[in-house]
Amino acid sequence: MMPNSRHERPSGRRGRPAVLAVTALLLASGCGLPHREKAEGAATSPPSALPSTPPAPTATPHGLPDPKTVDRHDATAVSRAAVQVMWTVDASIDRGQGDAYRRARPYLTPEYAARSDAQPLGAVPSVWRDHRAYARVRLKPQTPEDGAPPDNARTSHRQWEVTVTPTGRDGWKGTPTQAIAFVTLTRDAGDAWQVSGVTTA
């Protein structure tokens, strides 16, 4: 794991990096299907043959926020958009949740985007592909934990309850799963907010 891939939650307790949490949600909603590392064990092409930082998918799942319309000077709006995009995996266009993370790059600091790219990310479960399913993501704002530092000119914290429901285009629905996302945002004086870390519980 990269040294800075795990961020302190505002209360000082540690959560899981969001990339690992999304993997857990995919596995839970995919009926316990194998993680990508296991599935790749039998592959004939070595991992080194894959590009280290694949480009973001050219297609975009329906219903995602448009980066051009998100108010970058509103930390809540930026954090909501980032979490929505990061959790929205679509089996019809994605190889795994890494593609969703790459779609979220407009909302992330370059450093956090690079750390996310370095994480091993699980593949879309085969049951999702069978139903051409996508993750229907619902977000509910949460009151920050006790001890969370107040916002200042350079740093903000936001907290979201994330509910993911696998939804097939043929009418199939998987079991909803939930996580709490703790989002840290940073900015230089007067500049737009960017997400610099996400952990989950």
Side-chain angles (χ1 to χ4, degrees), residues 25 28-29 136 162-167 173-179:
L25 289 175
S29 57
R136 184 182 294 275
V162 185
T163 302
V164 176
T165 304
T167 304
K173 282 192 177 181
T175 302
T177 52
Q178 288 187 330

Side-chain angles (χ1 to χ4, degrees), residues 36-114:
R36 181 177 180 178
E37 286 100 341
K38 295 180 181 179
E40 286 179 348
T44 56
S45 298
S48 59
L50 298 174
S52 58
T53 306
T58 55
T60 301
H62 176 72
L64 289 185
D66 183 347
K68 296 178 182 178
T69 65
V70 174
D71 183 356
R72 302 309 177 90
H73 298 283
D74 183 337
T76 299
V78 173
S79 67
R80 173 188 279 276
V83 172
Q84 183 85 30
V85 174
M86 293 164 93
W87 262 262
T88 302
V89 180
D90 189 333
S92 68
I93 59 174
D94 293 336
R95 295 161 296 180
Q97 74 265 27
D99 289 327
Y101 264 68
R102 283 181 277 278
R103 282 192 290 271
R105 283 175 185 162
Y107 307 107
L108 312 182
T109 63
E111 296 79 11
Y112 184 54

